[in-house]
Amino acid sequence: MEHIQHTPARVAKAPTRLLDGLQRWLPKLVVAPTFVLVGIGIYAFMIWTGVLSFTSSSFLPVYDFVGFDQYAKLMDNDRWLTASVNLGIFGGLFILCCLVIGVVLAIFLDQKIRQEGALRTIYLYPMALSMIVTGTVWKWILNPSLGLEKLMHDWGWSSFSFDWLVNSDMAIYTIVIAAVWQASGFVMALFLAGLRGVDSAIIRAARVDGASLPRIYWSIILPSLRPVFFSAVMVLAHIAIKSFDLVMAMTAGGPGYSTDLPAVFMYTHSFTRGQMGLGSASAMLMLGAILALLVPYLYSELRGKRHD
């Protein structure tokens, strides 16, 4: 009789244990396909690219390992050296200009001006466009026979000249102009969020002490936004290192290869020039550059959370 009384309780516990197990495993089952795709589509191909960089692969992968020969060839390649110099010019100007414009726009919007929402939308709009669209538009604007120069000539300013897009010495700066136009609004949004988080009591106290508004921003507010500066530099540097579609849309690396960046070099040699081993070596150097930026950033973030 006692056995009969306890049987319904055990039967009731069975579905409960089943539901508990399902609730525990369901989130893992849901995210498992994503982890598999990321593991294969990103990390597995990164390892494969690293393997190919130590081979003499040309049009198709081969696995005759040649050590660091591809890296030695890369260091002696004039086109790679040009791409590396261009990355320094493009990355430095791109990061600096985006930071300056972004900070100025953020301070301007922080003054509680009218139509702030509309202006913020206008400044952020370029970020909604793809790099291909941005590159195509700026290619039209800077084309001497179609854009700004032709417009000035049509208005009667016949001596006006702006042929940077077809000038091998200046073409890289047209890439900078287009990239800054697209990314400065994003930097503005980062700094505006940081400015809105500053305690207004600090500003009021500084005003009481007689400090001017520019002095308050320069000496008090902006130094307190060092984490925002650091994050913005990391994001912009990552964009600069992997820039590809903007260059292809505007100049395709030309004139000649004067606007080549490492990503363009990697694509050209891997998929159009039949030098997959050399292209893989350049890809690994790009990965190393990104990791050199990312690892210190992650270390500082994790250390800061540990201290908190």
Side-chain angles (χ1 to χ4, degrees):
M1 187 70 176
E2 182 179 351
H3 174 72
I4 296 174
Q5 290 176 347
H6 285 284
T7 298
R10 284 198 293 269
V11 172
K13 289 180 180 178
T16 303
R17 286 197 297 269
L18 180 62
L19 289 174
D20 290 341
L22 185 62
Q23 290 177 352
R24 186 169 59 254
W25 283 99
L26 185 60
K28 299 176 182 179
L29 293 174
V30 170
V31 301
T34 302
F35 278 107
V36 171
L37 291 175
V38 169
I40 295 175
I42 297 179
Y43 295 105
F45 280 105
M46 285 168 55
I47 295 172
W48 188 46
T49 302
V51 171
L52 291 179
S53 70
F54 294 103
T55 68
S56 61
S57 300
S58 54
F59 285 99
L60 293 174
V62 294
Y63 298 99
D64 54 339
F65 291 94
V66 295
F68 289 92
D69 285 0
Q70 299 290 4
Y71 292 92
K73 291 179 182 178
L74 194 63
M75 294 299 103
D76 291 334
N77 190 300
D78 289 339
R79 187 166 181 175
W80 170 257
L81 297 178
T82 299
S84 300
V85 171
N86 284 342
L87 178 61
I89 296 172
F90 171 73
L93 291 175
F94 171 62
I95 294 172
L96 179 61
C97 294
C98 283
L99 287 176
V100 171
I101 295 173
V103 169
V104 170
L105 291 177
I107 293 175
F108 172 66
L109 291 179
D110 193 44
Q111 308 309 307
K112 308 299 190 297
I113 61 174
R114 292 183 178 180
Q115 304 299 326
E116 177 190 330
L119 290 174
R120 189 167 60 241
T121 302
I122 292 172
Y123 295 151
L124 278 173
Y125 176 72
M127 200 65 190
L129 302 176
S130 71
M131 285 288 191
I132 292 292
V133 174
T134 298
T136 302
V137 170
W138 278 97
K139 182 178 181 180
W140 292 341
I141 294 173
L142 300 177
N143 190 323
S145 62
L146 182 67
L148 182 62
E149 183 174 321
K150 184 178 185 301
L151 178 64
M152 293 295 105
H153 290 175
D154 292 342
W155 284 356
W157 190 358
S158 59
S159 62
F160 180 84
S161 176
F162 195 83
D163 61 350
W164 287 13
L165 191 66
V166 295
N167 185 329
S168 59
D169 293 328
M170 303 300 295
I172 187 63
Y173 300 104
T174 64
I175 309 294
V176 174
I177 293 171
V180 169
W181 178 81
Q182 181 163 39
S184 56
F186 167 73
V187 178
M188 178 271 297
L190 287 179
F191 279 98
L192 184 60
L195 290 172
R196 293 291 162 84
V198 175
D199 189 356
S200 59
I202 298 176
I203 301 176
R204 289 197 298 268
R207 296 299 292 268
V208 170
D209 291 339
S212 63
L213 192 59
R215 184 68 176 176
I216 292 172
Y217 274 101
W218 183 256
S219 302
I220 300 175
I221 298 178
L222 292 182
S224 69
L225 298 180
R226 280 194 299 269
V228 181
F229 274 100
F230 194 52
S231 298
V233 169
M234 291 298 103
V235 173
L236 294 174
H238 178 258
I239 293 174
I241 291 172
K242 68 183 186 66
S243 293
F244 170 77
D245 40 5
L246 180 63
V247 179
M248 296 302 292
M250 288 189 67
T251 64
Y257 52 83
S258 61
T259 56
D260 258 5
L261 291 177
V264 179
F265 178 94
M266 181 274 298
Y267 173 82
T268 302
H269 284 73
S270 297
F271 301 111
T272 65
R273 295 175 64 100
Q275 295 178 281
M276 189 174 291
L278 191 67
S280 298
S282 67
M284 295 310 296
L285 291 185
M286 289 171 57
L287 176 63
I290 292 175
L291 290 177
L293 295 170
L294 188 60
V295 170
Y297 173 72
L298 292 177
Y299 175 75
S300 65
E301 288 292 313
L302 293 175
R303 187 179 62 175
K305 291 180 180 179
R306 192 181 303 119
H307 288 315
D308 292 341

